[in-house]
Amino acid sequence: MSKSDKTIEKFDSNVIHSYGRYPLVMEHGEGRTAYDEDGKKYIDLGSGIGTNSLGYCDEAWADAVCAQVRRLQHNSNYYYTAVQADFAERLCRSTGYSKVFFGNSGAEANECAIKVARKYSFDKYGKGRHNIITLVNSFHGRTIATLSATGQDVFHNYFFPFLEGFINVTANDIADLKAKLDDTVCAVMLEYIQGEGGVNALEQEFVDAVYELCAQKDVLVIADEIQTGVGRTGKLLAGDWFGKKADITTLAKGIAGGLPMGACLVNEKLSGVLTPGTHGSTFGGNPVACAGALAVFDRVDDEGFLSEVQAKAAFIREKLSACAEVAEVSGIGLMVGISLKTKKAGDVAKEALDRGLLVLTAKDKVRLLPPLTVSESELGEGLDILIGILEE
Ligand SMILES: *Cc1c(COP(=O)(O)O)cnc(C)c1O
């Protein structure tokens, strides 16, 4: 029995089987490369689902995190910390938002967004205007509220009753949106690029219609940028590609370089909606996570960083367009969906693992979410393995 096999046996006999895991035991990582317990090397083009935004154990990030963990690892939100103040200021300044609430995950960031939207509407208009429009094929998280928000029937099972108050509109269907955006609605929640739903970017026309109709009715726009945010698409926020700023933007995944953090950003109009006692989180705004997040923003805000992300994205698309098995490449920036002509995405991901390459899938597509710091030579090496599999 290999070391990995022993770990897998121990793991599976003690951890609830709520994931379909690949038989890979990660031992350590360096830059864009992961190593398993048996010493095998993997080029990682998935970055822990877009979470290790600076790759593995980036020096400046690790130094900041280690220094903070030796200074103060946690304090309750009844007190202040300078590091949370510093990161909140940086985040608001970089994104142009007025205020932020910190949680620890994407689902928590979206829970906060839902609460802000409903309370804003309740404070101003009273009861009965609590519905939130979400899109078919969206993904907003795994808590009961965010599952209820998620516009995919496969997630609406077992855990009945789900939370009421979510209405699904077909993405890019303006007539459907108009028909459902009535006086019971307080917000429209969307991903500019649906990630788990298959790496599908919304059409500009539809996004324009959402903002226009919402503005007319004082309905809030919530942008779930948990996967698309923090430089993933080659802009700080994906909304920048659409020329839009939502009333609320949620971030998580890559925000702290691999430490748990979720952020719910609100504009000026919403900055006073949550008052003492109306929301909270024990770990939210944890100093160590904030130190990691500051290190991520130090890099992402760097002159030229995002244009490099865009150049790498163009490189990926150019390489993939030359592959005969590739039907279409979707997404923006380093959020890449690959539709295949004949092969199954799941089989490709398994074969890639065997050959030392980590890729993701989303619905029937192969999905790449490389670390933002990936180099062209690392990308080239990884894509050669992938294209080798696709062209076999
Ligand atoms: C991953 C994801 C979430 C959920 O984030 P968690 O940290 O797993 O709770 C929500 N929305 C989108 C768009 C995501 O990609």
Side-chain angles (χ1 to χ4, degrees):
M1 231 185 174
S2 71
K3 205 168 168 203
S4 288
D5 289 337
K6 279 188 202 138
T7 301
I8 289 170
E9 192 177 280
K10 187 199 286 183
F11 196 107
D12 281 343
S13 50
N14 292 286
V15 177
I16 290 176
H17 291 212
S18 66
Y19 298 93
R21 293 179 206 274
Y22 293 100
L24 160 61
V25 182
M26 273 206 197
E27 203 272 331
H28 76 287
E30 286 168 32
R32 271 61 59 189
T33 308
Y35 296 84
D36 74 13
E37 278 200 322
D38 303 316
K40 184 172 163 183
K41 179 181 151 180
Y42 301 83
I43 296 171
D44 187 356
L45 299 188
S47 61
I49 320 189
T51 296
N52 293 328
S53 41
L54 304 182
Y56 290 103
C57 309
D58 176 84
E59 279 296 323
W61 175 88
D63 285 347
V65 167
C66 291
Q68 183 59 49
V69 86
R70 290 182 180 285
R71 194 178 303 127
L72 179 78
Q73 84 278 26
H74 169 79
N75 81 324
S76 98
N77 276 306
Y78 290 118
Y79 312 112
Y80 292 88
T81 59
V83 68
Q84 190 179 140
D86 287 345
F87 180 57
E89 181 189 59
R90 169 67 75 85
L91 184 58
C92 289
R93 200 173 55 213
S94 297
T95 58
Y97 278 93
S98 181
K99 285 207 165 70
V100 61
F101 177 89
F102 290 118
N104 313 286
S105 68
E108 272 181 79
N110 283 341
E111 288 273 346
C112 180
I114 291 164
K115 286 177 78 170
V116 170
R118 284 189 168 180
K119 186 165 185 298
Y120 171 75
S121 188
F122 175 80
D123 289 348
K124 205 162 160 185
Y125 302 99
K127 279 190 176 167
R129 195 178 177 272
H130 56 259
N131 285 328
I132 297 178
I133 288 181
T134 61
L135 301 183
V136 173
N137 226 17
S138 57
F139 180 79
H140 297 300
R142 295 288 194 163
T143 61
I144 291 283
T146 57
L147 274 182
S148 304
T150 292
Q152 300 189 51
D153 288 340
V154 291
F155 288 106
H156 300 155
N157 226 325
Y158 320 121
F159 313 115
F160 306 102
F162 288 90
L163 186 66
E164 60 180 302
F166 295 96
I167 299 170
N168 294 149
V169 161
T170 305
N172 300 320
D173 186 338
I174 296 172
D176 194 24
L177 173 69
K178 279 187 176 155
K180 290 172 180 161
L181 215 169
D182 60 19
D183 294 342
T184 68
V185 173
C186 66
V188 174
M189 184 167 179
L190 53 81
E191 298 157 87
Y192 291 106
I193 309 164
Q194 295 186 332
E196 304 308 306
V199 198
N200 300 308
L202 295 180
E203 288 164 10
Q204 179 77 49
E205 228 191 329
F206 180 75
V207 174
D208 288 345
V210 168
Y211 276 81
E212 206 183 299
L213 291 166
C214 286
Q216 286 166 12
K217 294 168 168 266
D218 193 23
V219 168
L220 304 176
V221 180
I222 304 171
D224 177 345
E225 293 233 31
I226 287 162
Q227 193 161 148
T228 56
V230 198
R232 173 56 49 194
T233 65
K235 305 252 191 205
L236 187 61
L237 298 178
D240 297 340
W241 287 109
F242 292 84
K244 297 289 190 267
K245 183 158 289 291
D247 298 285
I248 304 175
T249 286
T250 54
L251 301 173
K253 292 206 163 81
I255 190 172
L259 290 174
M261 174 184 278
C264 177
L265 289 155
V266 302
N267 65 12
E268 183 66 38
K269 161 167 114 170
L270 303 176
S271 60
V273 170
L274 295 179
T275 49
T278 55
H279 198 42
S281 162
T282 298
F283 286 115
N286 172 274
V288 181
C290 284
L294 264 171
V296 169
F297 273 71
D298 276 346
R299 200 72 55 82
V300 173
D301 282 341
D302 231 7
E303 178 84 27
F305 184 88
L306 291 175
S307 48
E308 271 176 42
V309 168
Q310 291 178 29
K312 290 179 253 194
F315 174 77
I316 294 178
R317 282 167 170 76
E318 194 186 306
K319 278 211 71 127
L320 289 173
S321 69
C323 174
E325 170 63 14
V326 172
E328 199 201 335
V329 181
S330 65
I332 304 177
L334 289 180
M335 189 164 172
V336 181
I338 309 167
S339 308
L340 306 175
K341 287 184 183 155
T342 61
K343 292 197 156 62
K344 291 233 176 341
D347 297 342
V348 171
K350 271 191 208 122
E351 182 59 29
L353 191 73
D354 277 351
R355 298 190 198 185
L357 173 70
L358 303 182
V359 298
L360 305 163
T361 60
K363 293 277 153 72
D364 55 354
K365 294 182 188 174
V366 172
R367 172 171 52 151
L368 307 180
L369 293 172
L372 305 180
T373 51
V374 71
S375 70
E376 247 176 52
S377 70
E378 289 161 329
L379 268 180
E381 204 183 325
L383 290 171
D384 283 343
I385 297 173
L386 179 62
I387 290 168
I389 295 167
L390 295 180
E391 290 190 338
E392 233 159 46

